[in-house]
Amino acid sequence: MKALILGIIFAFGMLSQAVAQDHKLLIIDSYHKTFSWTESYTLGLNKVLDKSIHVSRFEMNAKKLPVSAHQRKADEAFDFYKKVKPDVVLLCDDIALNHMLPRLQHENIDVVFLGVNGDPQPLIERLNGPVRVTGVLERPHFYRSLSDVIQLYNQPIKNIKILFDDGPTAKINTAYLQSQANLFSKLNQTVTRIERFTTFPDWKKAVLEDDYDVLFVGSYQTLRDGMGKNIDANQVITWTNQNTKHPVFAFWKVAVGEGMAAGGYVLDGEKHGIHAAVYIHKVFAGMPADHIPISVGHQGTGIYSKAEFAQLGLTPPREWVPIR
């Protein structure tokens, strides 16, 4: 990781020097600053962004607010944009992209995005204003993670259950995952089921069912209780670890750790933040955003919790690295 960061900083050192003291960046985040994905990509941004850049942030808080409130938050974000008058806007994740690009299309502004799961091209093609767009796509490595995990066991794995919440990002991811799950089941003779839930009580029922050999967790941050209140994400993953009879794995780094998911071939928000920061520096150095190709982010990393693997009696794949 250190080598990657040093390489990027060296390769784009001249770009950093080209950043003027008065350049302004506005980050419009789909979520909120204490959300683990936000924390991780922010860490990556901060490792690369020139300290002279004035950074403002607007949080749409979409993991905690109902979908009916997203339009209102997008209007507030656009009002904040007009007040800040940034040189570059960073849109973080699908909700911010889908709500803000139509509002920004008539602005003479460069936009960079990160963490986008859906295909942004149809939206970009519908824009008819001067806005310039590039960014970093997020493509979870479902098939690789499933393949790595199934090889951990000496006996065949017959039933794999994959759980998601029912938020907007989850709907995009499960549509993408379904084709990979179908192929995986066919090639590995497994039954791979994907389920989405709105409430934590329904999620609990699915975890407690004894109809699977291995459990994968996707997103779970929009789950709500019976009264509609958002459930803390750490509570969800901790409860899942403590109450399942079977091993738990994940597709995102933020879900892995002692008392959480045991491991997985995961996406790392920090590396997405580094990638986006490089694009931002290119724009500040004079390259229009739409001259920078949209690209897929970091290809993933196999990670595992030593404590969880020891408890499960598993030996990690050789290329997986231990974390906390």
Side-chain angles (χ1 to χ4, degrees), residues 125-136:
E125 289 175 356
R126 291 197 299 270
L127 302 176
N128 57 16
V131 64
R132 299 168 295 278
V133 185
T134 190
V136 185

Side-chain angles (χ1 to χ4, degrees), residues 17-38:
Q17 294 174 19
V19 175
Q21 294 293 322
D22 59 348
H23 274 156
K24 293 188 290 186
L25 170 68
L26 170 60
I27 300 172
I28 300 179
D29 186 5
S30 296
Y31 310 127
H32 51 279
K33 64 182 179 181
T34 60
F35 180 45
S36 50
W37 172 259
T38 296

Side-chain angles (χ1 to χ4, degrees), residues 31 62-63 65-68 70 94-96 98-99 117-118 165-175 196 219 222:
Y31 310 127
K63 289 291 185 183
L65 294 175
V67 173
S68 59
H70 293 179
D94 295 78
I95 294 171
N98 292 333
H99 282 283
N117 295 275
D165 58 26
D166 201 35
T169 300
K171 292 175 181 177
I172 296 169
N173 276 321
T174 52
R196 293 203 313 259
S219 56
T222 70

Side-chain angles (χ1 to χ4, degrees), residues 12-304:
F12 292 93
M14 296 305 294
L15 294 179
S16 295
Q17 294 174 19
V19 175
Q21 294 293 322
D22 59 348
H23 274 156
K24 293 188 290 186
L25 170 68
L26 170 60
I27 300 172
I28 300 179
D29 186 5
S30 296
Y31 310 127
H32 51 279
K33 64 182 179 181
T34 60
F35 180 45
S36 50
W37 172 259
T38 296
E39 290 178 338
S40 59
Y41 81 66
T42 300
L43 181 62
L45 287 173
N46 290 341
K47 285 184 174 179
V48 176
L49 284 179
D50 191 277
K51 297 299 186 290
S52 67
I53 299 170
H54 183 272
V55 180
S56 301
R57 177 184 290 271
F58 184 93
E59 298 174 356
M60 293 183 67
N61 207 21
K63 289 291 185 183
K64 296 183 177 182
L65 294 175
V67 173
S68 59
H70 293 179
Q71 288 282 3
R72 173 178 58 81
K73 295 301 291 186
D75 288 338
E76 292 176 10
F78 188 58
D79 288 341
F80 188 69
Y81 158 82
K82 289 187 289 187
K83 179 181 178 181
V84 171
K85 296 182 173 62
D87 302 295
V88 175
V89 175
L90 175 64
L91 300 179
C92 302
D93 291 81
D94 295 78
I95 294 171
L97 182 81
N98 292 333
H99 282 283
M100 297 311 302
L101 266 191
R103 288 169 168 81
L104 292 168
Q105 65 178 318
H106 299 298
E107 301 292 312
N108 184 22
I109 189 70
D110 289 282
V111 172
V112 178
F113 62 78
L114 65 76
V116 168
N117 295 275
D119 179 5
Q121 204 57 46
L123 176 60
I124 292 172
E125 289 175 356
R126 291 197 299 270
L127 302 176
N128 57 16
V131 64
R132 299 168 295 278
V133 185
T134 190
V136 185
L137 297 170
E138 178 185 345
R139 292 292 179 265
H141 300 279
F142 297 121
Y143 193 97
R144 171 66 185 271
S145 198
L146 292 170
S147 297
D148 279 6
V149 167
I150 204 171
Q151 293 175 36
L152 296 173
Y153 296 89
N154 294 323
Q155 70 268 15
I157 300 297
K158 295 296 185 184
N159 293 283
I160 297 173
K161 180 179 282 189
I162 304 172
L163 301 185
F164 279 82
D165 58 26
D166 201 35
T169 300
K171 292 175 181 177
I172 296 169
N173 276 321
T174 52
Y176 167 67
L177 170 58
Q178 190 63 61
S179 60
Q180 295 199 4
N182 292 342
L183 177 61
F184 184 86
S185 291
K186 181 178 180 180
L187 295 177
N188 294 280
Q189 280 127 24
T190 66
V191 175
T192 305
R193 288 170 297 134
I194 306 166
E195 301 176 5
R196 293 203 313 259
F197 299 98
T198 302
T199 70
F200 193 28
D202 287 339
W203 174 284
K204 287 181 175 180
K205 290 177 184 177
V207 170
L208 293 173
E209 290 169 352
D210 198 19
D211 59 351
Y212 59 92
D213 303 307
V214 173
L215 179 67
F216 276 84
V217 293
S219 56
Y220 45 85
Q221 291 81 9
T222 70
L223 291 172
R224 300 182 180 277
D225 63 17
M227 302 298 292
K229 181 181 178 181
N230 182 249
I231 302 295
D232 179 74
N234 290 330
Q235 179 183 342
V236 174
I237 191 62
T238 300
W239 185 94
T240 302
N241 171 279
Q242 292 174 346
N243 289 276
T244 180
K245 298 178 182 179
H246 303 284
V248 183
F249 296 91
F251 301 117
W252 280 270
K253 182 179 180 180
V254 296
V256 177
E258 185 173 356
M260 302 163 65
Y265 193 80
V266 301
L267 284 174
D268 184 347
E270 181 179 343
K271 294 175 182 177
H272 278 254
I274 290 171
H275 197 153
V278 170
Y279 277 13
I280 291 166
H281 272 278
K282 285 187 174 184
V283 173
F284 282 146
M287 183 178 293
D290 55 2
H291 288 198
I292 305 171
I294 293 172
S295 61
V296 177
H298 175 65
Q299 292 303 300
T301 303
I303 62 172
Y304 69 98

